[in-house]
Amino acid sequence: MVKTVYSMQETRQALELVQERKTVVLILDKLPLDQAQRVADWVAGGAYATDGQTLWVGKRTLMFVPNQVSVKSSRPPISPFAPNLKTCTEHLTSIS
């Protein structure tokens, strides 16, 4: 499921999808940075609670995968906890 989040109210739907053990790609670039960080925190927490993973796809795009899904990436793994979007943006600009 790919979902662009336009408001904080849409966080619950994204979190429910993660808790249902679905792979979810969230695009957070339509939110101010502080709100995008809150959404990332909530959904990453839901993924962590179900032994899932949080992976970077783009500057403000995250993929949440359940524990039964294996993802291979050339990018370094991030913390299993909620990522820092500001740090990610800086980190991603240095990846070739």
Side-chain angles (χ1 to χ4, degrees):
M1 164 76 83
V2 177
K3 179 164 181 50
T4 300
V5 179
Y6 293 95
S7 70
M8 293 292 295
Q9 290 75 20
E10 296 177 65
T11 306
R12 178 179 294 260
Q13 180 188 16
L15 186 55
E16 288 171 356
L17 292 167
V18 168
Q19 290 175 335
E20 292 170 4
R21 300 191 188 284
K22 297 189 184 222
T23 298
V24 179
V25 176
L26 286 186
I27 302 168
L28 302 172
D29 62 354
K30 302 297 183 193
L31 293 172
L33 184 59
D34 64 324
Q35 290 181 12
Q37 184 66 60
R38 280 195 214 136
V39 171
D41 291 346
W42 275 93
V43 182
Y48 181 76
T50 58
D51 294 324
Q53 295 180 47
T54 302
L55 304 160
W56 292 110
V57 177
K59 288 185 179 183
R60 285 204 199 175
T61 304
L62 301 166
M63 181 168 59
F64 303 92
V65 295
N67 61 351
Q68 71 268 22
V69 174
S70 176
V71 177
K72 292 184 181 185
S73 174
S74 61
R75 290 185 178 170
I78 61 170
S79 165
F81 304 103
N84 183 312
L85 294 179
K86 185 181 263 187
T87 303
C88 171
T89 301
E90 294 165 2
H91 179 68
L92 285 177
T93 58
S94 66
I95 294 176
S96 54

